[in-house]
């Protein structure tokens, strides 16, 4: 589904990734771990085609991509339901579907709230609802449990696990428990590249 | 700090300045030099009874609105072009600066060499509005949230959907603010062009003739017509801006 071959990435003078080789087949779940700023997000951005590698290749065969950014990136002029609806293909007719996704993340009552009226945790859940609503065959989740309290983390973890089944997943996290729950393979950052944590 | 609302503030201000006007007119005591509000109101009422008054006002309004609409459309299209192409930006940015720097009177006299006097006010309004809209829209396009544009990209939004969901709401306050800024400019430059070129059926012509024949009450009355038309359009635009701000949770006071 997605293959990184000897990928290097630099931002100006700063080398972020060097020689990353990683392959995620259909239905495989991979967690990327490492300290803040090590290049986890950059790898997801490479997978999504938002940045190009300085060297090496990224081959992605996903038909439909679903990307949860680390920060919610909600359209500030739309309600929570409209934000979810924006990624659906049916236009206004898909509003009930959007509301259903919000109900899945426990935000049925906040469907008509504007992003500025949501707490950080609520906005993050709208972000997750929007990502899952995309129903992509490749899920890229960048610290999906950020801003969530312990109870919500458990709920969202269960939800993500359920909806990621059968799909390819690349998830970044600092939480070893979440990584173990979501992924079958865990990679950690070492000297510019990601290496298997449990070879 | 909260500003205290004074009930009927507008009416109070209007009454105050009408009073000042009446006092000055009484002090001058020569209607030919400085007619009072009553004389102007009488003249305005008399003018309003004539079909020509409404026709002249409508034609002037149409000329100015056409020029402003063309300027707004041109400014929007040019901003889209210069936002996408550095070459276009390098070519047009200095030109817009020059247009903004040249006095409107120079433009009126220059353009009069090339176009007929009936169409000249429209062209002048177009030229005055174009750089203002271009500069506001360019600013709006530059300020579109890069994070949201990335979101649109990963979600596979079409160009139209990106324009509708990301660019449109981002630049709407800039656009409305540009429209509001252009309004006064359009009226002032349009009427100035009419005064200098005296086309048929124009408020500017009426102002010019009133001055020529020393009909000072007429001069005041037509000036009041310009002010009222401008205020009405400004009121409509302001209402649209507030409505947009309320609906979308954005600041209602433009960009």
């Amino acid at each position: 589904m997605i293959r990184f071959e000897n990928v290097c990435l630099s931002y100006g003078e700063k080398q972020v990734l060097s020689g990353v080789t990683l392959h995620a087949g259909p239905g495989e779940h991979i967690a990327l771990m490492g300290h803040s700023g090590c290049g986890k997000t950059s790898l997801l951005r490479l997978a999504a085609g938002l940045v190009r590698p300085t060297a090496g290749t990224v081959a992605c065969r996903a038909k439909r991509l679903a990307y949860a950014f680390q920060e919610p990136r909600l359209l500030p002029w739309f309600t929570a339901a409209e934000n979810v609806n924006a990624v659906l293909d049916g236009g206004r007719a898909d509003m009930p579907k959007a509301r259903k996704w919000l109900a899945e993340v426990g935000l049925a009552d906040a469907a008509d709230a504007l992003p500025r009226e949501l707490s950080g945790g609520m906005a993050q859940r709208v972000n997750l609802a929007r990502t899952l609503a995309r129903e992509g065959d490749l899920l890229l989740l960048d610290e999906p449990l950020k801003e969530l309290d312990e109870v919500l983390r458990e709920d969202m973890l269960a939800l993500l696990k359920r909806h990621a089944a059968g799909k390819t997943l690349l998830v970044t996290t600092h939480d070893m428990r979440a990584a173990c729950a979501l992924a079958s393979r865990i990679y950690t950052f070492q000297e510019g590249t990601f290496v298997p944590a449990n070879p | 700090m909260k500003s205290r609302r004074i009930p009927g503030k507008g009416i109070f201000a209007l009454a105050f300045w009408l009073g000042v006007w009446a006092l000055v007119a009484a002090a001058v005591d020569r209607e030919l030099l400085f007619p009072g509000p009553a004389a102007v109101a009488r003249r305005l009422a008399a003018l309003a009874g004539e079909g020509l008054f409404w026709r002249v006002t409508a034609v002037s309004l149409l000329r100015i609105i056409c020029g402003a609409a063309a300027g707004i459309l041109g400014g929007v299209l040019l901003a889209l072009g210069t936002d996408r192409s550095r070459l276009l930006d390098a070519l047009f940015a200095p030109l817009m600066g020059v247009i903004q720097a040249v006095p409107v009177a120079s433009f009126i006299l220059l353009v009069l060499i090339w176009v007929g006097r009936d169409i000249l006010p429209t062209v002048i309004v177009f030229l005055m509005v174009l750089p203002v809209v271009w500069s506001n829209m360019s600013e709006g396009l530059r300020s579109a949230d890069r994070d949201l544009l990335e979101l649109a990209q990963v979600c596979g939004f079409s160009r139209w959907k990106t324009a509708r969901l990301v660019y449109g709401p981002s630049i709407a306050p800039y656009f409305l603010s540009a429209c509001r800024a252009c309004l006064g400019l359009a009226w002032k430059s349009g009427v100035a062009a009419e005064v200098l070129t005296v086309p048929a059926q124009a408020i500017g012509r009426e102002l010019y003739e009133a001055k020529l024949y020393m009909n000072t009450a007429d001069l005041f009355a037509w000036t009041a017509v310009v002010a009222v038309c401008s205020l009405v359009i400004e009121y409509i635009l302001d209402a649209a801006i507030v409505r947009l701000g309320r609906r979308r949770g954005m600041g209602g006071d433009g960009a």
Side-chain angles (χ1 to χ4, degrees), chain B residues 56-89:
Chain B
V56 163
T57 307
V59 170
S60 271
L61 200 62
L62 192 67
R63 271 197 199 103
I64 290 165
I65 285 175
C66 283
I72 288 168
L73 184 67
V76 170
L77 293 176
L78 190 60
L80 290 173
T82 53
D83 186 64
R84 293 202 75 83
S85 158
R86 281 187 184 181
L87 177 67
L88 279 181
D89 189 50

PDB file of all heavy atoms in Angstrom, chain B residues 56-89:
ATOM      1  N   VAL B  56     -32.022  61.472 -13.795  1.00  0.00           N
ATOM      2  CA  VAL B  56     -30.616  61.889 -13.635  1.00  0.00           C
ATOM      3  C   VAL B  56     -29.944  61.068 -12.525  1.00  0.00           C
ATOM      4  O   VAL B  56     -28.830  60.560 -12.695  1.00  0.00           O
ATOM      5  CB  VAL B  56     -30.548  63.404 -13.326  1.00  0.00           C
ATOM      6  CG1 VAL B  56     -29.192  63.798 -12.746  1.00  0.00           C
ATOM      7  CG2 VAL B  56     -30.830  64.216 -14.579  1.00  0.00           C
ATOM      8  N   THR B  57     -30.673  60.935 -11.411  1.00  0.00           N
ATOM      9  CA  THR B  57     -30.108  60.169 -10.288  1.00  0.00           C
ATOM     10  C   THR B  57     -29.874  58.713 -10.693  1.00  0.00           C
ATOM     11  O   THR B  57     -28.809  58.138 -10.415  1.00  0.00           O
ATOM     12  CB  THR B  57     -31.062  60.222  -9.071  1.00  0.00           C
ATOM     13  OG1 THR B  57     -31.336  61.593  -8.794  1.00  0.00           O
ATOM     14  CG2 THR B  57     -30.462  59.562  -7.852  1.00  0.00           C
ATOM     15  N   ALA B  58     -30.859  58.128 -11.397  1.00  0.00           N
ATOM     16  CA  ALA B  58     -30.741  56.721 -11.797  1.00  0.00           C
ATOM     17  C   ALA B  58     -29.582  56.520 -12.769  1.00  0.00           C
ATOM     18  O   ALA B  58     -28.812  55.556 -12.640  1.00  0.00           O
ATOM     19  CB  ALA B  58     -32.051  56.243 -12.418  1.00  0.00           C
ATOM     20  N   VAL B  59     -29.453  57.462 -13.731  1.00  0.00           N
ATOM     21  CA  VAL B  59     -28.375  57.308 -14.730  1.00  0.00           C
ATOM     22  C   VAL B  59     -27.004  57.422 -14.057  1.00  0.00           C
ATOM     23  O   VAL B  59     -26.101  56.623 -14.316  1.00  0.00           O
ATOM     24  CB  VAL B  59     -28.534  58.338 -15.887  1.00  0.00           C
ATOM     25  CG1 VAL B  59     -27.302  58.338 -16.791  1.00  0.00           C
ATOM     26  CG2 VAL B  59     -29.783  58.036 -16.699  1.00  0.00           C
ATOM     27  N   SER B  60     -26.867  58.413 -13.156  1.00  0.00           N
ATOM     28  CA  SER B  60     -25.590  58.573 -12.436  1.00  0.00           C
ATOM     29  C   SER B  60     -25.284  57.343 -11.597  1.00  0.00           C
ATOM     30  O   SER B  60     -24.156  56.840 -11.585  1.00  0.00           O
ATOM     31  CB  SER B  60     -25.645  59.795 -11.518  1.00  0.00           C
ATOM     32  OG  SER B  60     -25.223  60.927 -12.213  1.00  0.00           O
ATOM     33  N   LEU B  61     -26.330  56.886 -10.904  1.00  0.00           N
ATOM     34  CA  LEU B  61     -26.179  55.706 -10.055  1.00  0.00           C
ATOM     35  C   LEU B  61     -25.723  54.507 -10.887  1.00  0.00           C
ATOM     36  O   LEU B  61     -24.802  53.768 -10.512  1.00  0.00           O
ATOM     37  CB  LEU B  61     -27.532  55.407  -9.393  1.00  0.00           C
ATOM     38  CG  LEU B  61     -27.555  54.555  -8.137  1.00  0.00           C
ATOM     39  CD1 LEU B  61     -26.784  55.226  -7.021  1.00  0.00           C
ATOM     40  CD2 LEU B  61     -28.986  54.307  -7.688  1.00  0.00           C
ATOM     41  N   LEU B  62     -26.374  54.351 -12.038  1.00  0.00           N
ATOM     42  CA  LEU B  62     -26.051  53.234 -12.932  1.00  0.00           C
ATOM     43  C   LEU B  62     -24.611  53.326 -13.423  1.00  0.00           C
ATOM     44  O   LEU B  62     -23.874  52.333 -13.416  1.00  0.00           O
ATOM     45  CB  LEU B  62     -27.018  53.245 -14.121  1.00  0.00           C
ATOM     46  CG  LEU B  62     -26.996  51.983 -14.994  1.00  0.00           C
ATOM     47  CD1 LEU B  62     -27.524  50.795 -14.216  1.00  0.00           C
ATOM     48  CD2 LEU B  62     -27.819  52.196 -16.254  1.00  0.00           C
ATOM     49  N   ARG B  63     -24.214  54.551 -13.840  1.00  0.00           N
ATOM     50  CA  ARG B  63     -22.839  54.749 -14.326  1.00  0.00           C
ATOM     51  C   ARG B  63     -21.833  54.341 -13.244  1.00  0.00           C
ATOM     52  O   ARG B  63     -20.880  53.612 -13.510  1.00  0.00           O
ATOM     53  CB  ARG B  63     -22.604  56.240 -14.608  1.00  0.00           C
ATOM     54  CG  ARG B  63     -22.951  56.666 -16.002  1.00  0.00           C
ATOM     55  CD  ARG B  63     -22.286  58.015 -16.294  1.00  0.00           C
ATOM     56  NE  ARG B  63     -22.951  58.621 -17.413  1.00  0.00           N
ATOM     57  CZ  ARG B  63     -23.831  59.608 -17.329  1.00  0.00           C
ATOM     58  NH1 ARG B  63     -24.152  60.120 -16.159  1.00  0.00           N
ATOM     59  NH2 ARG B  63     -24.400  60.088 -18.406  1.00  0.00           N
ATOM     60  N   ILE B  64     -22.076  54.824 -12.032  1.00  0.00           N
ATOM     61  CA  ILE B  64     -21.119  54.592 -10.946  1.00  0.00           C
ATOM     62  C   ILE B  64     -21.132  53.120 -10.524  1.00  0.00           C
ATOM     63  O   ILE B  64     -20.081  52.520 -10.307  1.00  0.00           O
ATOM     64  CB  ILE B  64     -21.397  55.554  -9.767  1.00  0.00           C
ATOM     65  CG1 ILE B  64     -21.005  56.970 -10.221  1.00  0.00           C
ATOM     66  CG2 ILE B  64     -20.642  55.157  -8.515  1.00  0.00           C
ATOM     67  CD1 ILE B  64     -21.513  58.088  -9.377  1.00  0.00           C
ATOM     68  N   ILE B  65     -22.336  52.543 -10.450  1.00  0.00           N
ATOM     69  CA  ILE B  65     -22.421  51.131 -10.056  1.00  0.00           C
ATOM     70  C   ILE B  65     -21.754  50.237 -11.113  1.00  0.00           C
ATOM     71  O   ILE B  65     -21.029  49.292 -10.768  1.00  0.00           O
ATOM     72  CB  ILE B  65     -23.892  50.711  -9.796  1.00  0.00           C
ATOM     73  CG1 ILE B  65     -24.343  51.303  -8.458  1.00  0.00           C
ATOM     74  CG2 ILE B  65     -24.051  49.195  -9.793  1.00  0.00           C
ATOM     75  CD1 ILE B  65     -25.789  51.080  -8.114  1.00  0.00           C
ATOM     76  N   CYS B  66     -21.970  50.571 -12.404  1.00  0.00           N
ATOM     77  CA  CYS B  66     -21.335  49.771 -13.474  1.00  0.00           C
ATOM     78  C   CYS B  66     -19.813  49.850 -13.360  1.00  0.00           C
ATOM     79  O   CYS B  66     -19.117  48.831 -13.457  1.00  0.00           O
ATOM     80  CB  CYS B  66     -21.760  50.262 -14.857  1.00  0.00           C
ATOM     81  SG  CYS B  66     -23.406  49.720 -15.289  1.00  0.00           S
ATOM     82  N   GLY B  67     -19.304  51.071 -13.148  1.00  0.00           N
ATOM     83  CA  GLY B  67     -17.849  51.247 -13.012  1.00  0.00           C
ATOM     84  C   GLY B  67     -17.318  50.497 -11.808  1.00  0.00           C
ATOM     85  O   GLY B  67     -16.290  49.816 -11.881  1.00  0.00           O
ATOM     86  N   ALA B  68     -18.062  50.602 -10.673  1.00  0.00           N
ATOM     87  CA  ALA B  68     -17.612  49.934  -9.446  1.00  0.00           C
ATOM     88  C   ALA B  68     -17.666  48.417  -9.617  1.00  0.00           C
ATOM     89  O   ALA B  68     -16.732  47.703  -9.224  1.00  0.00           O
ATOM     90  CB  ALA B  68     -18.480  50.361  -8.268  1.00  0.00           C
ATOM     91  N   ALA B  69     -18.749  47.917 -10.248  1.00  0.00           N
ATOM     92  CA  ALA B  69     -18.877  46.465 -10.454  1.00  0.00           C
ATOM     93  C   ALA B  69     -17.758  45.958 -11.347  1.00  0.00           C
ATOM     94  O   ALA B  69     -17.149  44.910 -11.062  1.00  0.00           O
ATOM     95  CB  ALA B  69     -20.242  46.143 -11.063  1.00  0.00           C
ATOM     96  N   ALA B  70     -17.471  46.718 -12.419  1.00  0.00           N
ATOM     97  CA  ALA B  70     -16.387  46.304 -13.324  1.00  0.00           C
ATOM     98  C   ALA B  70     -15.045  46.343 -12.586  1.00  0.00           C
ATOM     99  O   ALA B  70     -14.211  45.443 -12.752  1.00  0.00           O
ATOM    100  CB  ALA B  70     -16.344  47.205 -14.550  1.00  0.00           C
ATOM    101  N   GLY B  71     -14.860  47.369 -11.760  1.00  0.00           N
ATOM    102  CA  GLY B  71     -13.616  47.491 -10.986  1.00  0.00           C
ATOM    103  C   GLY B  71     -13.471  46.358  -9.991  1.00  0.00           C
ATOM    104  O   GLY B  71     -12.380  45.805  -9.812  1.00  0.00           O
ATOM    105  N   ILE B  72     -14.599  45.992  -9.347  1.00  0.00           N
ATOM    106  CA  ILE B  72     -14.558  44.896  -8.363  1.00  0.00           C
ATOM    107  C   ILE B  72     -14.241  43.572  -9.065  1.00  0.00           C
ATOM    108  O   ILE B  72     -13.357  42.823  -8.644  1.00  0.00           O
ATOM    109  CB  ILE B  72     -15.898  44.821  -7.585  1.00  0.00           C
ATOM    110  CG1 ILE B  72     -15.996  46.016  -6.624  1.00  0.00           C
ATOM    111  CG2 ILE B  72     -16.029  43.508  -6.827  1.00  0.00           C
ATOM    112  CD1 ILE B  72     -17.363  46.234  -6.017  1.00  0.00           C
ATOM    113  N   LEU B  73     -14.952  43.327 -10.169  1.00  0.00           N
ATOM    114  CA  LEU B  73     -14.717  42.090 -10.926  1.00  0.00           C
ATOM    115  C   LEU B  73     -13.270  42.042 -11.434  1.00  0.00           C
ATOM    116  O   LEU B  73     -12.574  41.024 -11.283  1.00  0.00           O
ATOM    117  CB  LEU B  73     -15.708  42.005 -12.096  1.00  0.00           C
ATOM    118  CG  LEU B  73     -15.651  40.719 -12.914  1.00  0.00           C
ATOM    119  CD1 LEU B  73     -16.119  39.535 -12.084  1.00  0.00           C
ATOM    120  CD2 LEU B  73     -16.509  40.831 -14.169  1.00  0.00           C
ATOM    121  N   GLY B  74     -12.841  43.164 -12.011  1.00  0.00           N
ATOM    122  CA  GLY B  74     -11.464  43.231 -12.530  1.00  0.00           C
ATOM    123  C   GLY B  74     -10.446  43.028 -11.413  1.00  0.00           C
ATOM    124  O   GLY B  74      -9.464  42.299 -11.583  1.00  0.00           O
ATOM    125  N   GLY B  75     -10.689  43.657 -10.266  1.00  0.00           N
ATOM    126  CA  GLY B  75      -9.773  43.553  -9.127  1.00  0.00           C
ATOM    127  C   GLY B  75      -9.681  42.127  -8.620  1.00  0.00           C
ATOM    128  O   GLY B  75      -8.591  41.630  -8.309  1.00  0.00           O
ATOM    129  N   VAL B  76     -10.847  41.448  -8.562  1.00  0.00           N
ATOM    130  CA  VAL B  76     -10.870  40.057  -8.087  1.00  0.00           C
ATOM    131  C   VAL B  76     -10.096  39.164  -9.059  1.00  0.00           C
ATOM    132  O   VAL B  76      -9.236  38.366  -8.651  1.00  0.00           O
ATOM    133  CB  VAL B  76     -12.329  39.557  -7.928  1.00  0.00           C
ATOM    134  CG1 VAL B  76     -12.370  38.059  -7.678  1.00  0.00           C
ATOM    135  CG2 VAL B  76     -13.031  40.291  -6.796  1.00  0.00           C
ATOM    136  N   LEU B  77     -10.390  39.310 -10.365  1.00  0.00           N
ATOM    137  CA  LEU B  77      -9.734  38.459 -11.361  1.00  0.00           C
ATOM    138  C   LEU B  77      -8.224  38.717 -11.390  1.00  0.00           C
ATOM    139  O   LEU B  77      -7.425  37.788 -11.454  1.00  0.00           O
ATOM    140  CB  LEU B  77     -10.343  38.689 -12.755  1.00  0.00           C
ATOM    141  CG  LEU B  77     -11.794  38.225 -12.912  1.00  0.00           C
ATOM    142  CD1 LEU B  77     -12.327  38.584 -14.296  1.00  0.00           C
ATOM    143  CD2 LEU B  77     -11.916  36.723 -12.688  1.00  0.00           C
ATOM    144  N   LEU B  78      -7.872  39.999 -11.309  1.00  0.00           N
ATOM    145  CA  LEU B  78      -6.447  40.347 -11.331  1.00  0.00           C
ATOM    146  C   LEU B  78      -5.733  39.783 -10.098  1.00  0.00           C
ATOM    147  O   LEU B  78      -4.615  39.259 -10.196  1.00  0.00           O
ATOM    148  CB  LEU B  78      -6.294  41.871 -11.399  1.00  0.00           C
ATOM    149  CG  LEU B  78      -4.889  42.390 -11.665  1.00  0.00           C
ATOM    150  CD1 LEU B  78      -4.365  41.884 -13.000  1.00  0.00           C
ATOM    151  CD2 LEU B  78      -4.872  43.916 -11.655  1.00  0.00           C
ATOM    152  N   ALA B  79      -6.407  39.854  -8.940  1.00  0.00           N
ATOM    153  CA  ALA B  79      -5.805  39.320  -7.710  1.00  0.00           C
ATOM    154  C   ALA B  79      -5.601  37.811  -7.830  1.00  0.00           C
ATOM    155  O   ALA B  79      -4.573  37.289  -7.402  1.00  0.00           O
ATOM    156  CB  ALA B  79      -6.681  39.644  -6.504  1.00  0.00           C
ATOM    157  N   LEU B  80      -6.584  37.128  -8.439  1.00  0.00           N
ATOM    158  CA  LEU B  80      -6.436  35.679  -8.633  1.00  0.00           C
ATOM    159  C   LEU B  80      -5.245  35.396  -9.535  1.00  0.00           C
ATOM    160  O   LEU B  80      -4.462  34.486  -9.282  1.00  0.00           O
ATOM    161  CB  LEU B  80      -7.715  35.087  -9.255  1.00  0.00           C
ATOM    162  CG  LEU B  80      -8.944  35.047  -8.348  1.00  0.00           C
ATOM    163  CD1 LEU B  80     -10.174  34.603  -9.131  1.00  0.00           C
ATOM    164  CD2 LEU B  80      -8.722  34.104  -7.173  1.00  0.00           C
ATOM    165  N   GLY B  81      -5.103  36.213 -10.569  1.00  0.00           N
ATOM    166  CA  GLY B  81      -3.987  36.041 -11.505  1.00  0.00           C
ATOM    167  C   GLY B  81      -2.645  36.326 -10.853  1.00  0.00           C
ATOM    168  O   GLY B  81      -1.715  35.518 -10.949  1.00  0.00           O
ATOM    169  N   THR B  82      -2.549  37.438 -10.140  1.00  0.00           N
ATOM    170  CA  THR B  82      -1.256  37.806  -9.544  1.00  0.00           C
ATOM    171  C   THR B  82      -0.903  36.881  -8.374  1.00  0.00           C
ATOM    172  O   THR B  82       0.258  36.692  -8.064  1.00  0.00           O
ATOM    173  CB  THR B  82      -1.243  39.274  -9.058  1.00  0.00           C
ATOM    174  OG1 THR B  82      -2.357  39.490  -8.199  1.00  0.00           O
ATOM    175  CG2 THR B  82      -1.290  40.239 -10.217  1.00  0.00           C
ATOM    176  N   ASP B  83      -1.925  36.285  -7.750  1.00  0.00           N
ATOM    177  CA  ASP B  83      -1.652  35.334  -6.667  1.00  0.00           C
ATOM    178  C   ASP B  83      -1.034  34.047  -7.221  1.00  0.00           C
ATOM    179  O   ASP B  83      -0.219  33.415  -6.572  1.00  0.00           O
ATOM    180  CB  ASP B  83      -2.955  35.013  -5.921  1.00  0.00           C
ATOM    181  CG  ASP B  83      -2.704  34.153  -4.696  1.00  0.00           C
ATOM    182  OD1 ASP B  83      -2.026  34.636  -3.774  1.00  0.00           O
ATOM    183  OD2 ASP B  83      -3.155  32.994  -4.667  1.00  0.00           O
ATOM    184  N   ARG B  84      -1.440  33.689  -8.422  1.00  0.00           N
ATOM    185  CA  ARG B  84      -0.957  32.436  -9.020  1.00  0.00           C
ATOM    186  C   ARG B  84       0.340  32.626  -9.795  1.00  0.00           C
ATOM    187  O   ARG B  84       1.098  31.685  -9.962  1.00  0.00           O
ATOM    188  CB  ARG B  84      -2.020  31.846  -9.955  1.00  0.00           C
ATOM    189  CG  ARG B  84      -3.264  31.378  -9.225  1.00  0.00           C
ATOM    190  CD  ARG B  84      -4.015  30.365 -10.025  1.00  0.00           C
ATOM    191  NE  ARG B  84      -3.355  29.082 -10.002  1.00  0.00           N
ATOM    192  CZ  ARG B  84      -3.484  28.181  -9.027  1.00  0.00           C
ATOM    193  NH1 ARG B  84      -4.245  28.435  -7.994  1.00  0.00           N
ATOM    194  NH2 ARG B  84      -2.868  27.030  -9.084  1.00  0.00           N
ATOM    195  N   SER B  85       0.545  33.826 -10.342  1.00  0.00           N
ATOM    196  CA  SER B  85       1.719  34.032 -11.196  1.00  0.00           C
ATOM    197  C   SER B  85       2.595  35.174 -10.688  1.00  0.00           C
ATOM    198  O   SER B  85       2.138  36.315 -10.569  1.00  0.00           O
ATOM    199  CB  SER B  85       1.239  34.321 -12.627  1.00  0.00           C
ATOM    200  OG  SER B  85       2.233  35.000 -13.356  1.00  0.00           O
ATOM    201  N   ARG B  86       3.848  34.851 -10.425  1.00  0.00           N
ATOM    202  CA  ARG B  86       4.783  35.875  -9.952  1.00  0.00           C
ATOM    203  C   ARG B  86       5.040  36.906 -11.039  1.00  0.00           C
ATOM    204  O   ARG B  86       5.250  38.079 -10.753  1.00  0.00           O
ATOM    205  CB  ARG B  86       6.103  35.218  -9.560  1.00  0.00           C
ATOM    206  CG  ARG B  86       6.024  34.565  -8.208  1.00  0.00           C
ATOM    207  CD  ARG B  86       7.382  34.068  -7.786  1.00  0.00           C
ATOM    208  NE  ARG B  86       7.288  33.357  -6.530  1.00  0.00           N
ATOM    209  CZ  ARG B  86       8.321  32.823  -5.917  1.00  0.00           C
ATOM    210  NH1 ARG B  86       9.524  32.914  -6.440  1.00  0.00           N
ATOM    211  NH2 ARG B  86       8.173  32.194  -4.777  1.00  0.00           N
ATOM    212  N   LEU B  87       5.022  36.441 -12.296  1.00  0.00           N
ATOM    213  CA  LEU B  87       5.272  37.348 -13.423  1.00  0.00           C
ATOM    214  C   LEU B  87       4.165  38.401 -13.491  1.00  0.00           C
ATOM    215  O   LEU B  87       4.421  39.600 -13.597  1.00  0.00           O
ATOM    216  CB  LEU B  87       5.341  36.555 -14.736  1.00  0.00           C
ATOM    217  CG  LEU B  87       5.528  37.389 -16.000  1.00  0.00           C
ATOM    218  CD1 LEU B  87       6.900  38.043 -16.012  1.00  0.00           C
ATOM    219  CD2 LEU B  87       5.347  36.543 -17.252  1.00  0.00           C
ATOM    220  N   LEU B  88       2.906  37.921 -13.395  1.00  0.00           N
ATOM    221  CA  LEU B  88       1.775  38.852 -13.416  1.00  0.00           C
ATOM    222  C   LEU B  88       1.863  39.835 -12.250  1.00  0.00           C
ATOM    223  O   LEU B  88       1.603  41.026 -12.397  1.00  0.00           O
ATOM    224  CB  LEU B  88       0.446  38.098 -13.336  1.00  0.00           C
ATOM    225  CG  LEU B  88      -0.100  37.489 -14.630  1.00  0.00           C
ATOM    226  CD1 LEU B  88      -1.432  36.818 -14.362  1.00  0.00           C
ATOM    227  CD2 LEU B  88      -0.272  38.552 -15.707  1.00  0.00           C
ATOM    228  N   ASP B  89       2.250  39.313 -11.086  1.00  0.00           N
ATOM    229  CA  ASP B  89       2.372  40.166  -9.904  1.00  0.00           C
ATOM    230  C   ASP B  89       3.446  41.235 -10.127  1.00  0.00           C
ATOM    231  O   ASP B  89       3.239  42.409  -9.817  1.00  0.00           O
ATOM    232  CB  ASP B  89       2.698  39.311  -8.677  1.00  0.00           C
ATOM    233  CG  ASP B  89       2.608  40.114  -7.384  1.00  0.00           C
ATOM    234  OD1 ASP B  89       1.573  40.795  -7.201  1.00  0.00           O
ATOM    235  OD2 ASP B  89       3.561  40.092  -6.609  1.00  0.00           O
TER     236      ASP B  89
END
